[in-house]
C-alpha cells in the first residue's frame, strides 16, 4: 500500500511525521544530527525524547506560536538550544507566522517547504539568520545524506516525483515563448493544475534572477492568479505613509509587472496624483496606464503596467531591474 497516496502528499502531517521519525533514532545513531546538518542547522546532537509535534517555543501561552515540530538540540561548541520546524506544502508561508514560531535568540528554525510553497517563498523573507529554508530538492538531498531514503519507500518516490515536477515546471517556464503552457502527464495534478504550477515556476525563476536586489518578494495567490510583490522601504512616502511597490503577476497565462501605490492613510487624491507622476516617469520604459487604476477592495492604485508576454524569466528580470532603478530615482526620495 502507498501510504503517502492514502494520506495525501498535500497534508503537512505526512512530512512532519517523517522528520519526527528520522529525529527519534537510537541514542547511538548519528542520523538525527546528520539530517539537521544537511538541512543547514548547526546541531551535533538531538535529544530524541524531546522531539514532538505541535510544540511551542514562544513565551506566549495563547495565540499563534506553535511549531509543527520542536526538539532540544546541542549546537557545535556544546551550547543547548531548541529547534522549531514549520512545515508547508502548498499553503502560504509568511514572515509574521515564522517570527511568531520562536522568540528566543538561542533557538533555531526551519521552514520545510516541500510543495508549491517552495516556489512561492523568497528565502530572504526568513525572520533572521537563525532560520533555514529547505525546499523539496534540499529535503531529498538531506534525507539521502542522512541515509534514510532507502527506508522510506513510497515517501521517497513521492519526494522524487515532486522534485521532477518542479524541475519540469521551471524548465517549461525558462523556455516560455508566447504563453505559459500546462504541464503534460501527471503535471496536471490532483493538488494543483499544471498551468498554475508553471505560472508559479515562472515567477520563482524570475525572482531568482533578482537576488541581487535588496528587497525580498512575497508570494500569494489571488483570484486573478499567482502574484509576488516587493515594497522597498525607501520608496515609502514620508509625508503620507503611502507605499510604492511592484507586483508581478500571471493573469490568464500572461505575465505582467505593475507599479502600485497604497497603504498609508488611504488618501485617494494623494495616491492618484502620486500614481500619475510615477506613470509619467515610466512612459519611456514601455509601461501603459491601466484603464482601471483604483482597486477599491485594497485601496490601491495601479500607476502603470508592463506586459511581459513572451519574455522568459531572465529577460523579464532585466525589465524589472530597469524599473527598480528608475523608481529609485523618482520614488526613492520618499517625498
Amino acid at each position: 500500500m502507498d501510504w503517502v497516496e492514502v494520506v495525501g502528499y498535500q497534508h503537512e502531517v505526512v512530512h512532519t511525521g517523517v522528520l519526527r521519525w528520522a529525529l527519534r533514532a537510537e541514542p547511538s545513531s548519528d542520523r538525527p544530527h546528520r539530517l539537521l546538518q544537511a538541512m543547514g542547522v548547526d546541531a551535533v546532537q538531538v535529544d530524541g525524547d524531546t522531539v514532538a509535534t505541535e510544540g511551542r517555543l514562544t513565551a506566549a501561552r495563547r495565540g499563534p506560536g506553535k511549531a509543527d515540530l520542536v526538539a532540544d538540540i546541542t549546537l557545535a561548541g556544546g551550547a543547548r538550544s531548541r529547534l522549531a520546524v514549520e512545515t508547508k506544502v502548498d499553503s502560504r508561508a509568511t514572515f509574521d507566522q515564522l517570527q511568531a514560531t520562536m522568540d528566543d535568540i538561542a533557538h533555531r528554525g526551519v521552514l520545510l517547504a516541500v510543495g508549491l510553497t517552495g516556489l512561492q517563498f523568497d528565502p530572504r523573507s526568513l525572520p533572521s539568520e537563525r532560520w533555514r529554508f529547505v525546499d523539496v530538492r534540499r529535503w531529498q538531498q538531506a534525507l539521502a545524506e542522512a541515509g534514510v531514503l532507502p527506508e522510506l519507500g513510497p515517501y521517497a518516490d513521492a519526494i522524487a516525483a515532486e522534485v521532477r515536477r518542479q524541475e519540469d515546471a521551471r524548465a517549461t517556464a525558462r523556455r516560455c515563448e508566447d504563453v505559459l503552457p500546462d504541464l503534460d502527464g501527471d503535471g496536471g495534478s490532483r493538488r494543483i493544475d499544471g498551468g498554475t504550477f508553471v505560472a508559479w515556476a515562472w515567477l520563482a525563476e524570475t525572482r531568482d534572477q533578482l537576488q541581487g536586489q535588496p528587497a525580498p518578494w512575497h508570494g500569494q495567490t489571488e483570484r486573478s492568479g499567482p502574484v509576488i510583490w516587493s515594497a522597498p522601504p525607501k520608496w515609502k512616502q514620508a509625508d503620507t505613509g503611502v507605499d510604492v511597490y511592484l507586483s508581478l503577476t500571471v493573469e490568464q497565462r500572461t505575465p505582467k509587472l505593475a507599479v502600485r501605490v497604497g497603504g498609508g492613510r488611504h488618501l485617494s487624491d494623494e495616491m492618484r496624483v502620486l500614481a500619475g507622476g510615477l506613470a509619467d516617469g515610466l512612459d519611456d520604459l514601455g509601461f501603459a496606464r491601466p484603464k482601471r487604476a483604483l482597486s477599491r477592495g485594497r485601496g490601491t492604485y495601479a500607476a502603470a503596467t508592463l506586459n511581459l508576454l513572451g519574455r522568459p524569466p531572465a529577460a523579464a528580470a532585466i525589465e524589472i531591474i530597469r524599473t527598480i532603478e528608475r523608481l529609485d530615482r523618482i520614488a526613492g526620495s520618499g517625498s
Side-chain angles (χ1 to χ4, degrees):
M1 177 185 292
D2 185 340
W3 57 270
V4 179
E5 183 72 20
V6 171
V7 180
Y9 184 96
Q10 72 273 21
H11 294 296
E12 293 160 2
V13 65
V14 170
H15 311 280
T16 304
V18 168
L19 178 58
R20 181 186 181 189
W21 166 81
L23 295 180
R24 281 186 161 183
E26 294 295 325
S28 59
S29 173
D30 64 352
R31 182 179 76 192
H33 72 260
R34 285 173 57 199
L35 177 60
L36 290 183
Q37 288 175 0
M39 295 167 69
V41 179
D42 54 336
V44 295
Q45 187 175 349
V46 179
D47 185 344
D49 292 337
T50 66
V51 178
T53 54
E54 293 294 320
R56 188 181 292 277
L57 294 193
T58 64
R61 294 180 179 272
R62 296 181 180 178
K66 277 192 174 181
D68 291 315
L69 181 142
V70 296
D72 290 351
I73 59 176
T74 301
L75 306 177
R80 297 284 290 175
S81 182
R82 301 206 73 195
L83 172 72
V85 178
E86 185 66 28
T87 306
K88 296 287 185 182
V89 182
D90 299 324
S91 58
R92 184 185 177 197
T94 66
F95 173 92
D96 290 341
Q97 180 187 23
L98 297 179
Q99 190 175 47
T101 301
M102 62 183 203
D103 58 6
D104 190 307
I105 61 172
H107 293 159
R108 297 296 188 269
V110 171
L111 172 59
L112 179 59
V114 292
L116 191 65
T117 311
L119 295 175
Q120 294 174 333
F121 191 80
D122 186 344
R124 293 178 297 168
S125 295
L126 292 171
S128 75
E129 70 279 356
R130 294 175 293 117
W131 278 87
R132 296 293 180 265
F133 174 69
V134 178
D135 63 7
V136 67
R137 169 166 280 287
R138 188 167 185 182
W139 177 230
Q140 182 189 49
Q141 293 171 342
L143 291 170
E145 290 180 29
V148 299
L149 266 183
E151 301 179 55
L152 293 174
Y155 184 76
D157 295 338
I159 289 295
E162 183 70 13
V163 170
R164 287 194 300 272
R165 186 177 187 214
Q166 293 201 16
E167 289 178 343
D168 288 348
R170 282 179 174 270
T172 300
R174 285 193 297 269
R175 62 174 181 265
C176 82
E177 295 176 355
D178 293 330
V179 295
L180 296 174
D182 285 328
L183 287 172
D184 296 324
D186 66 355
S189 184
R190 288 165 241 184
R191 286 169 33 223
I192 295 169
D193 69 89
T196 299
F197 218 88
V198 173
W200 272 114
W202 188 91
L203 291 172
E205 285 284 318
T206 304
R207 183 194 65 220
D208 290 350
Q209 298 281 335
L210 300 169
Q211 290 302 304
Q213 300 299 316
W217 292 78
H218 309 276
Q220 60 195 63
T221 299
E222 298 186 346
R223 290 183 180 179
S224 58
V227 56
I228 60 175
W229 56 274
S230 181
K234 63 182 176 181
W235 294 352
K236 179 183 282 288
Q237 303 302 291
D239 53 346
T240 62
V242 172
D243 289 308
V244 177
Y245 64 98
L246 294 175
S247 69
L248 186 61
T249 63
V250 179
E251 300 179 10
Q252 299 179 344
R253 300 189 185 182
T254 301
K256 294 180 180 179
L257 176 67
V259 178
R260 306 188 68 89
V261 299
R265 297 188 296 275
H266 298 293
L267 307 172
S268 297
D269 290 339
E270 287 87 344
M271 287 195 294
R272 183 168 56 249
V273 171
L274 175 60
L278 294 174
D280 289 342
L282 295 168
D283 276 343
D284 63 320
L285 296 185
F287 278 82
R289 297 168 192 252
K291 294 180 180 178
R292 293 183 59 188
L294 175 63
S295 174
R296 295 189 181 277
R298 285 184 284 175
T300 64
Y301 275 92
T305 60
L306 180 65
N307 190 319
L308 297 173
L309 185 65
R311 290 176 175 84
I318 292 173
E319 300 288 352
I320 295 169
I321 291 171
R322 290 174 63 201
T323 304
I324 291 172
E325 291 173 346
R326 179 65 58 85
L327 289 173
D328 281 345
R329 296 200 297 271
I330 63 177
S333 63
S335 60

